[in-house]
Amino acid sequence: MKTDIVDLVKRSQSGDEEAMSEIITLHKQLIFTIAYRLLKDYDASLDVCQETFIKLFQNINRVKDPLKLKSWICSIARNLCYDLLRKEKHLNKDSEITEIEQSEDFTKSVRKRAIIQNALERLNPRDRLLLTLFYYENFDIKEIADIVKIKPENVKVALSRARIRLREELKDYDEELLSTD
Amino acid sequence: MTKNYCPQIEELILYRLNLLNSEEHRWIEEHLKTCQKCQREIKIEDEIEKELAIRLDPGAIETKVLRTLRFYKNCKGIRRDVSLLSLIFNSIFIVALSFCTGIVIEILWNEILPPFKSILSNTWLISTSSISILFYLLCLFFGLRRIILKVVE
């Protein structure tokens, strides 16, 4: 896997579109998930996802350590999302989730998802990013620290606080979270 | 280690994150075997973590990204970033230049061809204005090229 990514980066640096396409395929879900968790807007997340890879390949020659590619891509996505959040504070559409929560037609699993998404929404962007990175993939503490821009020794504390805050946001939804379809 | 009370939610979360020391970790592990209330809390944690681990798929974006990259590559070399200030100055300069040239030529032609003065004057005003507008539009296009290209693309 490690040699794969090194090879893919090298080929991308020499303009190989097949390698670029593979890099996109490998990372697109991660980037889209991060963007969606931060922005909670499908179209904006899709734009961020595409823009992230465009920026990546425009600067691919600056990648010195291909093994850090994943962290690098995540950092680009994080910056784009933060820029958007700064520009458009109205981007988060609370009403959509509220609608889902209140509708009786939706299955319990969809309601459960909406409840958790809504609770995530009430956390600050850094907490959302931390939780996404930690639970999504096997990011180690150092990588998370690099992306979130905090000291590695503070990651565990920040993570546990984010997790506790999320639990607090969900304290009134125990029954819904335990229900099955 | 035995404690005859339930751990706090915070402790259970730290347990899930594997952030407790080994002694506390073992205590909660033992406690969970018998306490239904805490088992329920752990189940809730499972549900939350399950949702947090969900992967969202943006669909097939590869082609679009590569197409955009190819497009930018083709545009490489074309100056796309012109500041608003230079755009304004260039426009003013070109419009002023057109009118100054017009006035000079009109003065000269008045001396040479007095009978055609009124016709030439009107024609000249129309043509200089048209040229100015044309130059202005060209400036605007080059100034906003990046945005226009993005929209077209």
Side-chain angles (χ1 to χ4, degrees):
Chain A
M1 180 67 190
K2 279 181 181 175
T3 38
D4 278 357
I5 200 76
V6 174
D7 180 52
L8 285 175
V9 170
K10 278 184 182 162
R11 281 166 52 205
S12 300
Q13 285 172 335
S14 55
D16 183 343
E17 288 196 351
E18 207 178 301
M20 290 180 190
S21 182
E22 265 187 71
I23 288 178
I24 300 172
T25 310
L26 280 173
H27 298 96
K28 66 179 181 182
Q29 285 188 340
L30 169 66
I31 300 305
F32 185 71
T33 307
I34 289 174
Y36 191 77
R37 291 268 191 250
L38 288 174
L39 305 172
K40 222 183 89 188
D41 179 300
Y42 183 85
D43 293 332
S45 307
L46 200 59
D47 285 346
V48 163
C49 194
Q50 289 170 4
E51 192 66 28
T52 300
F53 289 110
I54 290 166
K55 273 188 186 293
L56 168 74
F57 292 121
Q58 282 177 332
N59 297 290
I60 192 78
N61 289 324
R62 286 170 57 195
V63 177
K64 300 283 178 252
D65 182 0
L67 297 178
K68 285 187 178 172
L69 183 76
K70 196 161 67 172
S71 305
W72 212 52
I73 303 175
C74 290
S75 298
I76 299 174
R78 183 212 57 200
N79 289 341
L80 289 170
C81 289
Y82 280 8
D83 283 349
L84 260 185
L85 285 173
R86 264 194 296 271
K87 276 183 206 159
E88 300 179 44
K89 292 197 169 166
H90 63 276
L91 203 64
N92 304 324
K93 294 168 182 166
D94 282 335
S95 54
E96 279 182 19
I97 292 296
T98 315
E99 258 172 44
I100 293 170
E101 263 187 74
Q102 288 168 351
S103 167
E104 288 301 316
D105 297 334
F106 282 92
T107 59
K108 283 175 182 169
S109 64
V110 175
R111 280 166 64 89
K112 203 187 293 181
R113 177 166 298 177
I115 289 166
I116 296 174
Q117 282 289 344
N118 208 12
L120 268 173
E121 189 52 36
R122 289 191 286 268
L123 303 183
N124 65 48
R126 197 194 71 168
D127 285 352
R128 275 181 269 163
L129 183 60
L130 264 170
L131 293 173
T132 307
L133 295 173
F134 183 77
Y135 286 103
Y136 181 88
E137 219 165 80
N138 298 326
F139 275 112
D140 60 37
I141 297 297
K142 176 84 180 60
E143 283 177 312
I144 293 179
D146 270 355
I147 298 165
V148 185
K149 298 264 179 267
I150 53 175
K151 290 179 183 169
E153 56 267 30
N154 293 341
V155 169
K156 285 184 179 179
V157 178
L159 189 62
S160 56
R161 281 184 188 156
R163 194 62 188 73
I164 290 165
R165 268 181 223 125
L166 179 64
R167 186 69 184 91
E168 277 166 12
E169 292 291 343
L170 289 165
K171 65 183 174 199
D172 298 327
Y173 295 98
D174 287 0
E175 291 309 318
E176 282 94 334
L177 292 175
L178 287 172
S179 66
T180 48
D181 284 326
Chain B
M1 187 193 221
T2 50
K3 292 177 186 172
N4 49 4
Y5 56 87
C6 287
Q8 298 282 312
I9 284 282
E10 288 81 2
E11 285 176 295
L12 285 174
I13 289 170
L14 294 175
Y15 164 78
R16 290 302 301 238
L17 291 170
N18 220 4
L19 295 177
L20 292 173
N21 64 41
S22 55
E23 203 178 333
E24 284 175 314
H25 191 92
R26 229 176 300 128
W27 166 60
I28 291 181
E29 217 164 44
E30 285 302 313
H31 178 83
L32 281 171
K33 285 178 186 167
T34 51
C35 178
Q36 285 192 337
K37 184 176 164 267
C38 290
Q39 282 172 9
R40 185 176 181 272
E41 289 298 337
I42 289 292
K43 266 186 197 165
I44 294 171
E45 290 306 311
D46 280 343
E47 291 299 326
I48 296 170
E49 286 172 12
K50 225 187 283 173
E51 175 59 33
L52 288 173
I54 277 178
R55 289 165 184 244
L56 305 168
D57 192 358
I61 58 163
E62 289 86 345
T63 322
K64 196 171 179 202
V65 170
L66 292 176
R67 203 174 55 217
T68 310
L69 279 167
R70 252 177 261 138
F71 182 78
Y72 282 152
K73 206 176 166 187
N74 291 337
C75 293
K76 214 177 173 182
I78 298 171
R79 196 177 161 209
R80 280 174 287 166
D81 294 309
V82 176
S83 73
L84 186 67
L85 203 65
S86 75
L87 178 73
I88 293 167
F89 278 124
N90 285 341
S91 307
I92 293 170
F93 175 74
I94 288 163
V95 171
L97 189 71
S98 308
F99 277 105
C100 286
T101 318
I103 289 164
V104 170
I105 295 174
E106 193 176 350
I107 291 165
L108 290 174
W109 280 46
N110 279 344
E111 299 292 325
I112 301 160
L113 296 165
F116 302 108
K117 188 182 165 188
S118 61
I119 301 165
L120 284 170
S121 178
N122 288 339
T123 315
W124 177 250
L125 266 178
I126 293 165
S127 56
T128 46
S129 305
S130 310
I131 291 166
S132 303
I133 290 167
L134 188 70
F135 271 123
Y136 187 76
L137 288 175
L138 276 172
C139 285
L140 208 62
F141 174 75
F142 282 108
L144 304 176
R145 187 177 173 79
R146 193 171 189 175
I147 298 163
I148 293 168
L149 286 176
K150 215 168 181 179
V151 171
V152 172
E153 188 265 332

